[in-house]
Amino acid sequence: MAAQPIDPMALGLLMYRAHQLARAKANHAARPAGIELQHAGVLTTISTGEVHSQRELGRTLGIDKSTLVRIVDDLERRDLVRRQRSDHDRRAYEVVITDEGERRLGEAGELFRAAMVELLAVLDPGEQRQLHDLLARFADQERAGDETA
């Protein structure tokens, strides 16, 4: 028997609801670390050392300039990142993670993981792997589109 077609709008709304649920669960769990998912995304990307400027950071994360400035300002106020003159371009600033930022990101990461384990408990390990693989393929289409542009 052939699979019944899925209403794309219903699927989109379901994906949005899943995102809201996961984000709320993760943010609530990591509250003791004082880091939300948007902070963790920025801190994780900075900590790789592959992104130096705020412009590169925004492009990598797909965050518009004004939102990114607000996030980086918030992280800087909390001494989790600092802006410093770039060694590569004296006109530009780099955003670097502080020791406190590294510590809090590690703490939040453990809390995020525990929240996701709890949230994913409705799926068996095979279903979790399938969900991961499908979402990775879905998300990678943006990267594939960037490479062909």
Side-chain angles (χ1 to χ4, degrees), residues 26-140:
N27 286 342
H28 178 74
R31 192 171 289 151
I35 293 185
E36 294 184 357
L37 276 176
Q38 66 178 356
H39 298 125
V42 170
L43 290 171
T44 299
T45 303
I46 293 168
S47 70
T48 66
E50 296 173 14
V51 174
H52 299 286
S53 73
Q54 204 161 293
R55 177 175 286 141
E56 290 173 324
L57 185 59
R59 189 172 39 249
T60 299
L61 292 170
I63 299 175
D64 68 87
K65 184 179 176 180
S66 61
T67 300
L68 183 61
V69 166
R70 196 169 45 252
I71 294 169
V72 172
D73 284 350
D74 183 34
L75 292 170
E76 191 173 37
R77 266 192 305 279
R78 300 203 257 153
D79 193 34
L80 304 180
V81 300
R82 71 176 181 281
R83 290 176 173 106
Q84 65 185 26
R85 287 263 184 218
S86 171
D87 291 336
H88 307 29
D89 181 354
R90 301 301 293 161
R91 298 166 296 168
Y93 285 88
E94 293 181 347
V95 182
V96 295
I97 191 166
T98 64
D99 290 342
E100 178 66 7
E102 290 278 2
R103 186 188 70 71
R104 300 258 297 275
L105 178 60
E107 182 183 339
E110 292 304 314
L111 297 168
F112 289 145
R113 278 183 201 85
M116 290 305 101
V117 165
E118 185 179 320
L119 195 58
L120 290 167
V122 299
L123 304 174
D124 67 42
E127 290 170 325
Q128 290 179 28
R129 168 55 57 194
Q130 184 179 18
L131 178 62
H132 174 274
D133 293 348
L134 291 169
L135 288 172
R137 193 168 87 207
F138 185 82
D140 280 347

